[in-house]
Every structure is written in C-alpha cells, then in structure tokens.
Amino acid sequence: MSTYVPPGWPAQVHPPATERFEDTAMTWLLELVPPEYRRYGVLRRYPIALARMARHHVNASVEAAREGFRTARVELAEAVPPHGIEAVLETYRREGGRLVALASAIELVESALRSQDLPDDPEFRRPFTPKL
C-alpha cells in the first residue's frame, strides 16, 4: 500500500509518518537555502526552524522575481534589444512559476513536520488524506 501525499509534495521527500521522512525533508530543505546555512547546528536539530527559514528564503526569491519582471523592460531598455528583453521576461515567468511551486511544497513539508512534532495541537494538524 502506498502512502498518500498531497499534490505538490516534493518527490525528494518521503511521505509523512514514514521512516525516513524527517531525514529526507532535512536534506531537501538544505538544498533550498544558501550553503552557509549548513554551518548552523540549530537548523539540523530543529527541522521546523530549517523549514521556516527555507520558506522565507524562497518567498523572498519569489518577490525578487516579481520585481525583476515588473522592472525589466525599463531597466534593460537601453542595454538589451527587444528580443533579449522578451527572453528575460520568459525566464522570469518560468522561474517565477517554479519558485511559487517550490514555496507551496515547502509549506506542505513544514506543515507535516509541525503535525509530527505537535500532534495534539489542532492549529498544526493537517491530515494528509485524499479528498473524495
């Protein structure tokens, strides 16, 4: 029997409540933050803290991509030809979509980590069951 995971769950992370869930979540989350974050033991001791930092880091990247998209035409007008600007905008579109999906996946993993650590707190209980 396979374990259900919600749509958008990262393929690199084992499902919640499985043996290697926390290990694979930590490995995946560490890939999403700057490499310097690996130096901080607190982030390895508290996976929820790592998930929170990853969420903030990726959300900042989403905002940066949106700002870059909004300002690219004006800021690049004199330095890049129109076809180059269109290519830059397409890059922002693709990367923006990837980052938004990544932010959603981080939220799913963070929620699963929280429900694992705080099983009796209804604020953090989000069951991972299929909807009929």
Side-chain angles (χ1 to χ4, degrees), residues 101-116:
L102 188 57
S104 296
I106 291 169
E107 287 179 14
L108 291 172
V109 171
E110 182 179 10
S111 178
L113 286 166
R114 285 184 183 279
S115 66
Q116 172 180 289

Side-chain angles (χ1 to χ4, degrees), residues 35-128:
E36 294 81 16
Y37 284 32
R38 294 173 186 266
R39 288 187 274 169
Y40 302 102
V42 68
L43 299 179
R44 292 180 186 274
R45 280 190 303 279
Y46 302 104
I48 291 172
L50 175 60
R52 180 183 178 277
M53 290 184 88
R55 178 171 41 89
H56 285 285
H57 179 74
V58 171
N59 284 339
S61 295
V62 168
E63 287 307 312
R66 288 176 177 158
E67 177 68 14
F69 184 86
R70 283 191 297 269
T71 61
R73 285 188 194 280
V74 172
E75 291 182 4
L76 298 175
E78 293 182 21
V80 179
H83 68 277
I85 292 174
E86 288 305 318
V88 168
L89 293 175
E90 181 58 27
T91 300
Y92 276 123
R93 282 184 201 99
R94 288 182 183 205
E95 190 60 13
R98 184 190 71 81
L99 288 168
V100 167
L102 188 57
S104 296
I106 291 169
E107 287 179 14
L108 291 172
V109 171
E110 182 179 10
S111 178
L113 286 166
R114 285 184 183 279
S115 66
Q116 172 180 289
D117 286 350
L118 304 166
D120 296 327
D121 188 341
E123 183 178 336
F124 295 113
R125 289 187 61 87
R126 219 166 113 188
F128 290 95

Side-chain angles (χ1 to χ4, degrees), residues 17-32:
T18 60
E19 186 177 325
R20 300 226 28 246
F21 163 62
E22 193 169 298
D23 292 337
T24 57
M26 294 262 308
T27 300
W28 180 71
L29 290 166
L30 282 168
E31 294 285 322
L32 305 179

